[in-house]
């Protein structure tokens, strides 16, 4: 089943439209939308998920960068008050604005078959709004989902795993083969749920430090910790922390990284990060 509208998929917008009704049904089952949910869809495209969502929920916000697709959605659903279309870049979108019309402080449920070319920066952008979000369900490159859920001592474990698990509990839901999309992506996909922690299990006193040390540690993942983080911590600091400086960054847990970050914040308060 090819998408019916005469839209030519645009590679630069990461357009791989879902066309498999079985997968769409599976997504709806795991997301389980409820009529009163405050749901927002990123990249509605031709409406493969938008349409079934609108048949269940009372109102849906969608964010679409491609103006042609946004106006097609307007033509199809503009007459109902159920859909609000934001013709915007999700990477720049201020999700707080969606809470304004939301008097009962109900949190957002975010969903999207994401454009794979921007999926990592988009998740980092969304993490900033985690306290407003109940859950997020995304179709992503399988390899990215494996990085989101990876634990220490795994070759997929890195900065994305640590920052995602800092904010959320990620759950791998199911694998999706290329045939489910038009055009077919070259890589396998997977559907993931990210549930923001309430409260954070390991709060960092200074997020920028945590982001910098995870970036530096995994930029040089074959180096020892003391080498990779020598700009931030001395050997005696590792002793104080009870962390072996000869270890490789990939064996450390999220809690170890937060502990190092909080130590730097406390002991080097004037350090430029
Ligand atoms: N949801 C549709 C589906 O499942 O068939 C389309 C998914 S397609 C993989 C990604 C969608 O995100 C496209 O509609 C694309 O135009 C849109 N998109 C790409 N970059 C975007 C951005 N920065 N902000 C918002 N939407 C974007």
């Amino acid at each position: 089943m090819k998408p019916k509208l005469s839209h030519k998929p645009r590679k630069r917008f990461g357009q791989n439209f879902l066309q498999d009704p079985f997968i769409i049904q599976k997504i709806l089952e795991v997301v389980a939308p409820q009529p009163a949910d405050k749901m927002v869809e990123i990249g509605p495209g031709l409406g493969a998920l938008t349409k079934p969502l609108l048949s269940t929920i009372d109102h849906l916000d969608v964010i679409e960068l491609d103006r042609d697709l946004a106006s097609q959605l307007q033509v199809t659903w503009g007459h109902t008050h159920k859909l609000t279309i934001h013709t915007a870049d999700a990477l720049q979108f201020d999700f707080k604005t969606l809470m304004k019309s939301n008097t009962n402080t109900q949190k957002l449920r975010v969903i999207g078959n994401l454009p794979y070319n921007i999926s990592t920066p988009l998740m980092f952008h969304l993490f900033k709004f985690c306290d407003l979000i109940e859950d997020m369900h995304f179709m992503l490159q399988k390899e990215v989902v494996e990085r989101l859920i990876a634990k220490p001592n795994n070759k997929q474990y890195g900065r994305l795993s640590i920052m995602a698990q800092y904010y959320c509990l990620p759950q791998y839901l199911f694998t999706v083969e290329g045939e489910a999309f038009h055009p077919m992506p070259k890589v396998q996909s997977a559907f993931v749920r990210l549930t923001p922690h309430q409260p954070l299990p390991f709060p960092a006193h200074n997020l920028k430090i945590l982001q910098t040390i995870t970036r530096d540690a995994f930029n040089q993942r074959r180096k020892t910790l003391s080498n990779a983080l020598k700009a931030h911590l001395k050997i005696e600091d590792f002793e104080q922390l009870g962390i072996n400086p000869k270890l490789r960054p990939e064996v450390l847990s999220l809690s170890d990284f937060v502990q190092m970050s909080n130590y730097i914040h406390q002991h080097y308060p004037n350090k430029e990060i």
Side-chain angles (χ1 to χ4, degrees), residues 13-18 41-49 63-66 69 88-91 113-115 118:
F13 290 145
Q15 292 176 353
N16 298 96
F17 299 110
L18 258 173
E41 185 188 0
I42 298 175
L46 295 166
L49 297 172
I63 305 165
E64 176 57 65
L65 181 60
D66 185 331
L69 290 179
D89 182 350
L91 281 172
N113 168 18
L114 295 188
I118 58 155

Side-chain angles (χ1 to χ4, degrees), residues 134-168:
E134 183 181 323
D135 59 19
M136 304 186 261
H137 287 90
F138 295 132
M139 181 78 77
L140 295 166
Q141 249 173 278
K142 185 176 174 209
E143 188 229 305
V144 174
V145 177
E146 283 166 352
R147 282 163 48 203
L148 287 171
I149 62 165
K151 294 290 182 197
N153 290 310
N154 181 312
K155 87 175 184 317
Q156 312 281 8
Y157 183 67
R159 179 173 173 244
L160 182 62
S161 329
I162 291 175
M163 293 318 296
Q165 294 167 33
Y166 175 80
Y167 288 107
C168 304

